[in-house]
Amino acid sequence: MIFKVFYQKNFTEVPVRENTSAMFVEAESEREVRKKLADKGINIEFIQLVSEDLLAFEKSKEDFKVESL
């Protein structure tokens, strides 16, 4: 399964919507995503399971990539 992770790059700062980034991670569960990202020092805001329709849309973008962790 592929998850879309919304996060802030700096864990120590207050989250600001304009600074939110997103990445795609392949994992079996949300818990596994959190384990894989635990040592990255990022502030995870939300993790979303990506549906087939959303995945097809995201793949059409030229900057789409799934993080290998």
Side-chain angles (χ1 to χ4, degrees):
M1 294 185 279
I2 297 182
F3 292 87
K4 187 172 187 178
V5 180
F6 296 92
Y7 67 96
Q8 299 281 321
K9 293 179 182 175
N10 193 339
F11 189 77
T12 60
E13 292 181 5
V14 176
V16 177
R17 183 185 315 176
E18 290 78 16
N19 296 336
T20 299
S21 300
M23 74 170 78
F24 294 90
V25 178
E26 188 169 0
E28 292 297 318
S29 66
E30 183 178 330
R31 179 177 286 177
E32 186 179 340
V33 172
R34 290 186 183 278
K35 277 185 174 181
K36 287 181 174 185
L37 297 175
D39 63 338
K40 298 289 184 191
I42 61 174
N43 185 7
I44 297 172
E45 293 179 16
F46 184 68
I47 299 175
Q48 174 185 16
L49 179 61
V50 177
S51 68
E52 292 297 321
D53 292 337
L54 179 58
L55 185 58
F57 173 75
E58 292 290 351
K59 283 183 177 180
S60 69
K61 296 180 180 179
E62 60 185 50
D63 62 341
F64 174 79
K65 73 174 189 174
V66 176
E67 298 290 327
S68 57
L69 304 173

